[in-house]
Amino acid sequence: MQRTFVMIKPDGVQRGLVGRIITRLEERGLKMVAAKFLWVSQELAELHYAIHKNQPFYNNLIKYITSSPVLAMVWEGPEAVAAVRQTMGATRPREAAPGSVRHDFGLDVGRNLTHASDSVENAEAEIRLWFKPEEIVSWQRDIDRWTFEM
Ligand code: DAT
Ligand code: MG
C-alpha cells in the first residue's frame, strides 16, 4: 500500500466542496489515514512549494494557499500517488479529464482546488512536512475485501 499527501486548497474549502472531494476518494476505495484543518503559515507554504520558488506564479501561489484554511490529509491505497493524481486531474482544470475533480469543479489553474503528491518520493517528504508520525492512523477497514482482491 502507498500513502500520498492531499490538500483541499482554500477555494475548495470556501466553495463547500470538501465533502464532495473526500467522497470521490472514499468511493474509489482509498482510505484516509490522517487529516487536519489548518490555516497554512507563510513558512509552511514556502516549504511546501519550495520547488516552485523561481516560477512566475510563485508569489500568487503562496498568497492563494495562505489566504484561507485548507484541509490537509494523507490517503492510502494501492498506487495511491498515481490514483489520487488521476482523481484530481491535470494541473490546469481546462485540460483535466472530464470526471476529475479539477475538471468538474474548476476552470482556472490559480484556483485548481486540490494538491496531491506527484511521486512516491515527494509523497513521503510532504507527509513528513505536514504531519507528525503520531498523527497518522493505521487502521483496518472491514469492507476492504470487497474493494480489493486479497
Ligand atoms: P500540481 O498541483 O498539479 O502538482 P504543479 O506542482 O506543477 O501542479 O504546480 C503547483 C501549483 O502551482 C498548481 O497546482 C497551480 C500553480 N500553478 C502551476 N502552474 C501554473 C501556471 N502556469 N500559472 C499559475 N499557476 C500555476
Ligand atoms: Mg505539484
Side-chain angles (χ1 to χ4, degrees):
M1 287 288 170
Q2 235 173 49
R3 285 177 173 174
T4 189
F5 174 71
V6 180
M7 174 187 16
I8 301 179
K9 294 176 176 176
D11 48 334
V13 173
Q14 288 282 347
R15 291 175 57 196
L17 295 172
V18 167
R20 293 168 78 182
I21 293 169
I22 287 176
T23 294
R24 287 175 178 227
L25 297 173
E26 285 181 322
E27 284 178 340
R28 203 155 177 218
L30 292 148
K31 184 170 75 179
M32 189 191 293
V33 295
K36 69 169 103 168
F37 186 68
L38 73 159
W39 201 311
V40 178
S41 66
Q42 181 76 17
E43 186 193 1
L44 178 57
E46 288 177 7
L47 288 168
H48 178 73
Y49 280 129
I51 49 159
H52 296 302
K53 181 120 187 126
N54 296 318
Q55 297 292 336
F57 56 81
Y58 175 77
N59 286 341
N60 284 341
L61 183 57
I62 297 295
K63 244 186 259 168
Y64 164 40
I65 223 69
T66 58
S67 62
S68 181
V70 306
L71 185 67
M73 298 170 283
V74 179
W75 287 80
E76 187 179 280
E79 302 201 34
V81 170
V84 172
R85 291 282 292 186
Q86 187 182 41
T87 292
M88 296 314 174
T91 304
R92 297 164 180 276
R94 279 171 282 166
E95 292 166 15
S100 66
V101 167
R102 284 168 167 174
H103 172 280
D104 292 357
F105 298 125
L107 286 168
D108 190 333
V109 69
R111 295 288 183 270
N112 65 0
L113 296 152
T114 60
H115 168 86
S117 309
D118 63 4
S119 67
V120 175
E121 195 183 28
N122 286 340
E124 284 167 5
E126 290 171 359
I127 291 168
R128 224 177 304 123
L129 176 64
W130 288 77
F131 290 93
K132 297 177 192 142
E134 63 268 28
E135 291 174 328
I136 299 169
V137 182
S138 294
W139 61 291
Q140 294 301 315
R141 194 168 47 188
D142 296 338
I143 62 150
D144 275 358
R145 68 193 179 100
W146 301 109
T147 308
F148 305 119
E149 187 178 15
M150 291 178 158

